[in-house]
Amino acid sequence: MLQVGEDAPEFELPNQHGDPVRRSDFDGRLVVYFYPRANTDGCTTEANEFNEELSTFAAQDVDVVGISDDPVEDLAEFAADLDLEFDLLSDELGEVATLYESYGEKQLFGNTFDGVFRNTYVVGPDGRIEAVYENVSPDGHAGAVLDDLTEFVAP
């Protein structure tokens, strides 16, 4: 895992509309959450919870993006089905997830394959990592990140 204080890797990925999104497009804090697969139970829970808290994140000048190795078309469907108001980014080759140490060998039902790990980073306005969450549980994760943000936001 990348560590608090390290520079967050720059990226440019297409969102669910096919538009390019760069880390450096964001002026405030940025929550970058990696998730394994659109339209699965855990990923749906996590996306819904971030979406429900989006106005609270925005009130603290925090943006949210989700990154998976799903193609843009799958992300478009997922975002539309859930009425998501934040960007989902397509990292089909896992290159950005690899830079964020959130991609690699996984096992499921006895099969080994490469995929995205459920990790989250909070990137500060200066481009440095302020918080790291490894192998998170989707249920309640958005709220936990939001609670922790009070540590970084000046009173």
Side-chain angles (χ1 to χ4, degrees), residues 21 41 56 66 71 77 96 103 110 138 146 152:
V21 175
D41 291 343
T56 309
E77 180 181 319
V96 171
Y103 191 85
L146 195 53
F152 311 118

Side-chain angles (χ1 to χ4, degrees), residues 16 26 29-31 33 46-66 82-88 142-143 146 149:
Q16 67 267 32
F26 301 93
R29 285 184 170 75
L30 179 64
V31 172
Y33 83 90
E46 192 171 25
N48 276 329
E49 289 185 7
F50 273 111
N51 204 51
E52 288 168 7
E53 298 287 0
L54 206 56
S55 62
T56 309
F57 280 106
Q60 296 187 38
D61 195 26
V62 178
D63 289 292
V64 175
V65 297
L82 300 179
D83 292 322
L84 299 180
E85 298 178 22
F86 61 92
D87 283 324
L88 299 177
L146 195 53
L149 282 170

Side-chain angles (χ1 to χ4, degrees), residues 13-19 35-39 66-80 87-94 103 116:
L13 293 170
N15 68 8
Q16 67 267 32
H17 308 293
D19 300 325
Y35 64 98
R37 185 73 48 222
N39 289 314
I67 299 177
S68 74
D69 59 358
D70 292 303
V72 169
E73 299 77 25
D74 291 356
L75 297 181
E77 180 181 319
F78 185 49
D87 283 324
L88 299 177
L89 307 181
S90 175
D91 183 22
E92 285 192 80
L93 300 177
Y103 191 85
V116 178

